[in-house]
Structures are given as structure tokens and as C-alpha cells.
Amino acid sequence: MNRSPQSPGHALVVGAGIIGLTTAWRLQRDGWRVTVVDRQHPGAGASGGNGAQLSYSYVQPLADPSIWRQLPKLLLAADSPLKFRLQADPHQWAWGLRFLAACRGSVSRDTTARLLALAAASRLAFDDLREAEQLDCDFSSTGKLVLYPDAASFDAARRQLDLQRALGGQPQTALTPAQCQDVEPALAHYAPRIAGGIHTPSECAADCLKVCLALHQRLADRGVRFELDRTVKGWVREADRIIAVRTDAGDLQADQFVLAAGTASAGLGRALGLDVPVYPLKGYSITLPVPEAPGQAPQVSVTDIARKVVFARLGARLRVAGIAELVGDDMRVLPERIASLAATTGDVFPQLAQASDLGAWSGLRPATPTGWPLIGRAAGAPANLLLNTGHGALGFTLAMGSAERVAQALNSPD
């Protein structure tokens, strides 16, 4: 059934994380009647304790040629930020092979260009959302420093900076260790141990969970229907269209469907005969209270490339996140991983070494092999299904830009 933008119809969004909620917000604003279904509460998945950085200008995908020389250390070192546990899962094997195939310069450059364009659109759309909804989400725009441990990694970062500059990215500057300390005085102890950093003054941070909870409340108040604690089991299909999602509490009908279910998207796609190459990339975070004395914790967002850990200031808290585990759907919060994040925090910012209230968390980032998310209509999919999934560690950053693309596709004729 064709519908015009003037009378859109009923859209059902599978997923109540930041991707699903921003999609629902954008569609409701366009006049769609919207239902959101999720097996948990809003923001309970990868959105709940993510790294909090809005990395609009630093979007280099994980699939990069540098992975090849890092691979032995990443896989074998006891303190490696990457952990791979081989499982009897063909989906894991296929994803891993595709990931390694994507670790080429040409693929990385193409993906970077596309991500920068999407991130730029997402920045503008998120600014509009914050202004429209007056969100209380600990938003800051204090910039970001990415720290590099040695000359080789710093040289590679400067080449990436040149690429992103040529692609129209936001202004970035390569800094000496002393200049890094000037930008962020809390690095006084750590700066002598790095080779340099890349500074992006325009980068931002915010509490993704607070955004999710606020959007849930705003949307519910405006009549968006939320079906929470309901697991989607499959689809009810007629010819080349879906007429309902099948849940553990009955069927939910709609005119159009958006699959934004994070790591569950792969299985729900397979139920329709689709190849949805999304695999869980498990991450961890801790959230520390910040001492009242100035200079104890960073104001600027910081990424430590050597440890693959990010630090983001959220008001009176510091979010520390990182680690990438390819271990399937294992949601356990492993004490040794939390201890590693705490030790890294104390190493980089010694003033925080005695923090005891760690706010430990883990989540499954839905990652594609290339780092480019799956947005829009897919080949072989039912005519009224769109994808919005596979954003990896950039879900918060890309959420609003992705929602705009989905809305544009839904508002176009079938």
C-alpha cells in the first residue's frame, strides 16, 4: 500500500535503544502513528552504559589495515583490550572472515568518508533534538583528545587526520605531549608517557541513557505506543510484505516496520531469509563520581588508543569505557575486566585511583564487519521493512543521522 507523507500510517520500530528511540521520535514528528517494541526497558542494551562520547569527527572504523600488525598482541596478550573466544557459531566465523577482509586501506577510507558524512548530519539533527526537547543529559562540548603511545601510531593518526581533513571533517590538530597537557591539565602525570595526541575541539559528550529515558517519556506522552518486556519471535508475512511482528504476547500489526534491534537484528533478519551481518562486540564501562577539587578528572573527553579506553565527563561523573570481546551473547560483567578499566583510570588519572563506587556495566555493541551500519531498505527484504542497525561503537554518534535516513526512506513511495 502506497502512502503519502501527508498521511503516513502506522510504523512499528523493533528496538528501544538509542537507535530505535530516535527513529520513533523522527517518525512521530512526521505524523506517523508509532509503536515501539522491545524485550527490555528503554536504553537497557548497548545504550545504557556506553562510552558517552559523540565522536562526530573521529570515526575511523575498527576494520583498518593496522589491525593486521596488532592482531597477535591483541589476541594473545593477557591484558589485551580485544578478546576472541571461538565458538561453534557459523555466524561468528563468517563475521570474523568478513571483518579481516575489510581490513584494507581502500575499504577503511571509503567507510571513513561515509561515516563522516553521516556523523555531520547526525550532529545537526541531535542539536535540533536537544533544542526541541530541552533534554537534561549532561551534554558538553569540551572537545576530545586521542592519545597515542608511540611514534608509529602517532604517525598513522596524523595520516588519518589528513584523510579526514580532505574529506571535509571538523578541524583537528596534532599535539605534542606538552600541548596535550595544556589542553587537559588532568593529564599532567600521563602526558610524558605518550608520543602525542589528536585534538578535536568540536567533539561532544552526553549521557545516552538519560537521552533514551527522556525520549521514552516524551514519546509516550505524545501517544507513541510502547510494548516493553515483549520478545519478538518472528514475522507474519503475506507475499512481499510484513503484516505483523510475532511476539511472546501476541502479534503486533503495522503498515511499515523498522528493525533496530541491535545484536538481535541478525537472528530476526535470518527469519526473513536475510543476511544481516551484525555480531555482538561486547564492551564494558565504569562510572565514577568526580572529586570536587578541580584538576582531578578530565573536562575534555579522552581516548587512550593503546588501551582502547575512552573517558567522558558527564557532569559530576566520569564514564570510562572500552574493551572489545567477540564472545557471542555473553552478558556477564566480568570482575577482571572491570578491574582492568579501574586500573587504567588510575594509571592515566592517578587522582582517581582510589575510587570505589565503580558503577560496573557491560553491553553488546551491534557491529558490522566494515563498521558501516545497515540503514534503509535491504535487497531481498519485504517491501515494507527497513533496517537501522549495526552501528557498533558509534550508535550514539550516528543515531539521529540514521533516523533521518530512515524517515526519508519511509516518506518516499514504496
Side-chain angles (χ1 to χ4, degrees), residues 92-142:
Q92 184 196 54
W93 305 345
W95 189 95
L97 291 173
R98 288 182 179 183
F99 170 75
L100 292 175
C103 292
R104 308 196 312 271
S106 59
V107 175
S108 180
R109 285 190 296 272
D110 177 67
T111 304
T112 296
R114 298 169 74 191
L115 288 172
L116 278 173
L118 181 57
S122 201
R123 176 197 289 270
L124 295 175
F126 188 54
D127 286 346
D128 289 345
L129 169 66
R130 288 190 300 106
E131 182 177 356
E133 301 296 348
Q134 294 296 296
L135 298 180
D136 177 13
C137 59
D138 293 318
F139 178 82
S140 64
S141 55
T142 54

Side-chain angles (χ1 to χ4, degrees), residues 24-50:
W25 183 86
R26 184 63 175 77
L27 296 180
Q28 193 272 336
R29 193 177 71 168
D30 282 351
W32 288 84
R33 184 161 56 94
V34 180
T35 296
V36 179
V37 58
D38 198 289
R39 60 190 174 186
Q40 301 182 84
H41 60 79
S47 303
N50 66 16

Side-chain angles (χ1 to χ4, degrees), residues 134-212:
Q134 294 296 296
L135 298 180
D136 177 13
C137 59
D138 293 318
F139 178 82
S140 64
S141 55
T142 54
K144 179 164 75 170
L145 268 172
V146 183
L147 309 179
Y148 295 87
D150 50 48
S153 62
F154 190 36
D155 287 344
R158 284 183 286 196
R159 290 193 294 272
Q160 180 71 12
L161 181 154
D162 291 339
L163 170 63
Q164 296 193 170
R165 182 178 293 150
L167 293 171
Q170 293 289 316
Q172 295 177 302
T173 307
L175 303 182
T176 66
Q179 290 170 327
C180 289
Q181 182 179 333
D182 290 341
V183 169
E184 179 46 73
L187 288 169
H189 168 81
Y190 194 62
R193 297 163 55 187
I194 64 173
I198 302 295
H199 181 219
T200 311
S202 60
E203 295 288 65
C204 309
D207 188 324
C208 187
L209 180 58
K210 285 189 174 183
V211 174
C212 288

Side-chain angles (χ1 to χ4, degrees), residues 87 111 138 171 211 224 245 252 316 339 345 411:
Q87 299 178 316
T111 304
D138 293 318
V211 174
V224 170
V245 293
L252 298 172
T345 303
N411 289 331

Side-chain angles (χ1 to χ4, degrees), residues 12-381:
L12 186 146
V13 179
V14 182
I18 190 62
I19 300 297
L21 289 167
T22 51
T23 301
W25 183 86
R26 184 63 175 77
L27 296 180
Q28 193 272 336
R29 193 177 71 168
D30 282 351
W32 288 84
R33 184 161 56 94
V34 180
T35 296
V36 179
V37 58
D38 198 289
R39 60 190 174 186
Q40 301 182 84
H41 60 79
S47 303
N50 66 16
Q53 293 185 355
L54 292 160
S55 297
Y56 298 118
S57 299
Y58 192 85
V59 296
Q60 183 177 10
L62 182 62
D64 182 82
S66 64
I67 285 291
W68 289 105
R69 70 171 182 271
Q70 300 177 51
L71 204 56
K73 180 179 179 181
L74 288 173
L75 292 177
L76 300 176
D79 60 348
S80 170
L82 174 65
K83 179 179 180 181
F84 178 78
R85 186 169 70 220
L86 188 63
Q87 299 178 316
D89 178 6
H91 180 52
Q92 184 196 54
W93 305 345
W95 189 95
L97 291 173
R98 288 182 179 183
F99 170 75
L100 292 175
C103 292
R104 308 196 312 271
S106 59
V107 175
S108 180
R109 285 190 296 272
D110 177 67
T111 304
T112 296
R114 298 169 74 191
L115 288 172
L116 278 173
L118 181 57
S122 201
R123 176 197 289 270
L124 295 175
F126 188 54
D127 286 346
D128 289 345
L129 169 66
R130 288 190 300 106
E131 182 177 356
E133 301 296 348
Q134 294 296 296
L135 298 180
D136 177 13
C137 59
D138 293 318
F139 178 82
S140 64
S141 55
T142 54
K144 179 164 75 170
L145 268 172
V146 183
L147 309 179
Y148 295 87
D150 50 48
S153 62
F154 190 36
D155 287 344
R158 284 183 286 196
R159 290 193 294 272
Q160 180 71 12
L161 181 154
D162 291 339
L163 170 63
Q164 296 193 170
R165 182 178 293 150
L167 293 171
Q170 293 289 316
Q172 295 177 302
T173 307
L175 303 182
T176 66
Q179 290 170 327
C180 289
Q181 182 179 333
D182 290 341
V183 169
E184 179 46 73
L187 288 169
H189 168 81
Y190 194 62
R193 297 163 55 187
I194 64 173
I198 302 295
H199 181 219
T200 311
S202 60
E203 295 288 65
C204 309
D207 188 324
C208 187
L209 180 58
K210 285 189 174 183
V211 174
C212 288
L213 296 177
L215 285 178
H216 172 227
Q217 188 61 58
R218 305 286 202 284
L219 291 170
D221 290 345
R222 293 170 193 158
V224 170
R225 177 183 174 190
F226 281 87
E227 296 288 348
L228 304 176
D229 299 313
R230 295 182 68 165
T231 301
V232 175
K233 298 290 190 179
W235 312 86
V236 182
R237 184 172 180 172
E238 287 186 358
D240 69 337
R241 300 184 70 83
I242 298 169
I243 62 171
V245 293
R246 180 153 288 155
T247 80
D248 54 358
D251 295 348
L252 298 172
Q253 296 184 339
D255 303 312
Q256 299 283 344
F257 298 82
V258 181
L259 180 55
T263 58
S265 299
L268 291 173
R270 281 195 297 271
L272 292 167
L274 302 177
D275 176 20
V276 180
V278 171
Y279 192 79
L281 197 61
K282 185 179 181 182
Y284 294 82
S285 76
I286 56 177
T287 307
L288 314 174
V290 172
E292 293 184 4
Q296 301 293 297
Q299 294 287 344
V300 174
S301 291
V302 174
T303 296
D304 188 325
I305 284 293
R307 296 173 170 85
K308 292 186 168 36
V309 170
V310 303
F311 303 85
R313 185 69 171 264
L314 297 173
R317 299 169 295 148
L318 182 70
R319 173 70 48 80
V320 185
I323 306 174
E325 296 184 340
L326 282 81
V327 293
D329 293 320
D330 183 353
M331 280 295 298
R332 292 176 298 164
V333 180
L334 299 179
E336 62 268 27
R337 290 305 201 178
I338 299 303
S340 174
L341 287 178
T344 293
T345 303
D347 195 29
V348 179
F349 302 107
Q351 305 92 327
L352 305 178
Q354 302 305 315
S356 57
D357 182 9
L358 297 180
W361 175 91
S362 73
L364 303 178
R365 312 178 189 103
T368 65
T370 63
W372 177 250
L374 308 171
I375 307 170
R377 304 190 189 278

